[in-house]
Amino acid sequence: MIFHPFTLEDREKLAHYYAANTQPSCEYTFANNYLWARHYANTWAELDGCLVLRYPGEGPAYTILPGSGDAKAAVTSLRRQAKTEGVPLRLEVTRRQWDLLQNWFGGEVSCSFNPDFGEYLYQTAALQQMSGKKLHSKKNFINRFDREHTWSYEAITPKNTEECLAMLALWQQRRSHEQLNEDTALDELEIDRTALTLLQPLGLTGGLLRAEGEVVGLSIGEPVGGNTYVIHIEKAFSWIPGAYPMLVREFARHTAKDYPYLNREEDLGVEGLRRSKQSYHPCAILEKGVAVFTP
């Protein structure tokens, strides 16, 4: 079993695995895997007709991309490999994958779900309208932004990439030292910049929000699972009232308009981020956990 580092050339080779996936997790897109592999040395292998991702960490963990191949056979092969290494097999799974593991292996496997890594799913139509009592405060901020600014929304292209990079630099300058040290904040900034420069090679699309001609927010993502658009990057100037909710609304109206659901990823246990994501009232949380097999 040979695991390979992610390269841009792998996107075409592995495309059929990602296309076969029907689950809306951000973990199941090539761009996300490629971008984070640059920091955490994630690798991939083909096993029993499945794409398997390996995360080194403190001890190796694996993800089997759903939708193609013989996943049960792949798990069995990984268990044999783990046994030769003298460690228990650890699999990162969604709730649906956990149900399958229980059916296949019963009491030989246990699982714990961490709410910090649950992904927030929203109805695109709800974010397009921002109507109703639950989103009333967001609508008020949007109305304020509309009154106070001459604004526009447009697609991110090579022509405005430099402006987006300048916006990220200003966003970083305005963040406190403590905020930049929160979890993976600096890693994310580097990934944001990489994604902007490799937007087309990675198959990503995005949109930016302007106020008085200046970029004050941007979002970047891609389709996943057939009916969902996942947002990998979402940043706006929080010191401008209404910039964030206006960005969310316009992204839903334009860039992600053809997909019924939006995935705005995890909160990673960051309290401010959790409050923000919850304030848009998700329709569901995609739970993720780690399944551990008995040696």
Side-chain angles (χ1 to χ4, degrees):
M1 191 186 315
I2 300 174
F3 283 86
H4 310 274
F6 279 91
T7 68
L8 282 176
E9 290 72 26
D10 293 328
R11 182 184 169 215
E12 184 176 353
K13 178 178 181 178
L14 303 178
H16 65 286
Y17 291 115
Y18 292 100
N21 166 54
T22 58
Q23 297 193 40
S25 173
C26 67
E27 308 285 350
Y28 304 150
T29 73
F30 176 81
N32 185 73
N33 295 152
Y34 171 84
L35 289 167
W36 282 102
R38 295 164 65 91
H39 291 264
Y40 297 113
N42 306 337
T43 53
W44 64 269
E46 294 173 284
L47 181 63
D48 296 300
C50 300
L51 178 63
V52 179
L53 312 178
R54 186 180 190 272
Y55 311 100
E58 296 178 0
Y62 302 86
T63 290
I64 299 175
L65 204 74
S68 59
D70 188 340
K72 184 178 180 181
V75 173
T76 301
S77 298
L78 288 172
R79 290 186 75 185
R80 285 197 297 267
Q81 178 66 26
K83 188 173 182 179
T84 65
E85 297 171 355
V87 296
L89 173 62
R90 293 159 46 87
L91 285 178
E92 296 188 0
V93 295
T94 63
R95 178 67 69 175
R96 196 187 309 175
Q97 289 170 311
W98 167 233
D99 290 341
L100 285 174
L101 290 180
Q102 286 181 293
N103 289 335
W104 292 339
F105 301 103
E108 299 175 66
V109 60
S110 61
C111 188
S112 60
F113 287 87
N114 187 338
D116 294 351
F117 297 105
E119 299 178 27
Y120 289 77
L121 303 178
Y122 304 82
Q123 292 181 327
T124 306
L127 298 183
Q128 289 172 340
Q129 301 302 320
M130 294 289 185
S131 59
K133 186 176 180 180
K134 289 182 177 180
L135 294 172
H136 182 70
S137 65
K138 304 298 182 188
K139 189 69 171 287
N140 286 342
F141 273 114
I142 287 171
N143 290 339
R144 178 178 174 181
F145 186 88
D146 186 43
R147 288 194 310 269
E148 296 180 352
H149 301 281
T150 301
W151 65 273
S152 62
Y153 178 89
E154 66 192 66
I156 296 175
T157 69
K159 291 182 179 180
N160 53 37
T161 296
E162 287 301 322
E163 291 180 275
C164 293
L165 291 169
M167 177 262 169
L168 291 178
L170 182 54
W171 184 92
Q172 182 176 359
Q173 290 174 17
R174 293 289 296 264
R175 304 290 281 181
S176 69
H177 179 73
E178 290 77 15
Q179 288 171 320
L180 289 175
N181 280 332
E182 278 183 353
D183 298 304
T184 59
L186 289 174
D187 288 343
E188 287 180 3
L189 272 171
E190 186 175 339
I191 284 172
D192 295 350
R193 296 183 180 108
T194 303
L196 277 166
T197 58
L198 296 176
L199 201 71
Q200 292 175 330
L202 287 174
L204 297 169
T205 53
L208 63 84
L209 179 69
R210 294 184 187 272
E212 287 70 55
E214 300 297 321
V215 179
V216 299
L218 60 86
S219 290
I220 294 173
E222 62 183 315
V224 63
N227 64 356
T228 302
Y229 194 102
V230 57
I231 299 176
H232 297 309
I233 298 164
E234 185 180 68
K235 283 186 171 62
F237 291 161
S238 57
W239 58 88
I240 300 179
Y244 251 115
M246 182 64 88
L247 176 65
V248 171
R249 189 191 75 173
E250 292 303 295
F251 194 88
R253 286 185 172 185
H254 299 284
T255 310
K257 62 183 175 61
D258 296 326
Y259 296 87
Y261 299 99
L262 266 171
N263 180 339
R264 296 177 66 224
E265 298 196 350
E266 316 99 323
D267 60 41
L268 301 176
V270 178
E271 190 55 39
L273 192 57
R274 177 167 293 178
R275 287 196 303 270
S276 173
K277 290 183 185 292
Q278 291 177 346
S279 71
Y280 286 90
H281 296 279
C283 61
I285 303 293
L286 181 67
E287 295 179 281
K288 294 187 297 185
V290 177
V292 182
F293 286 79
T294 54

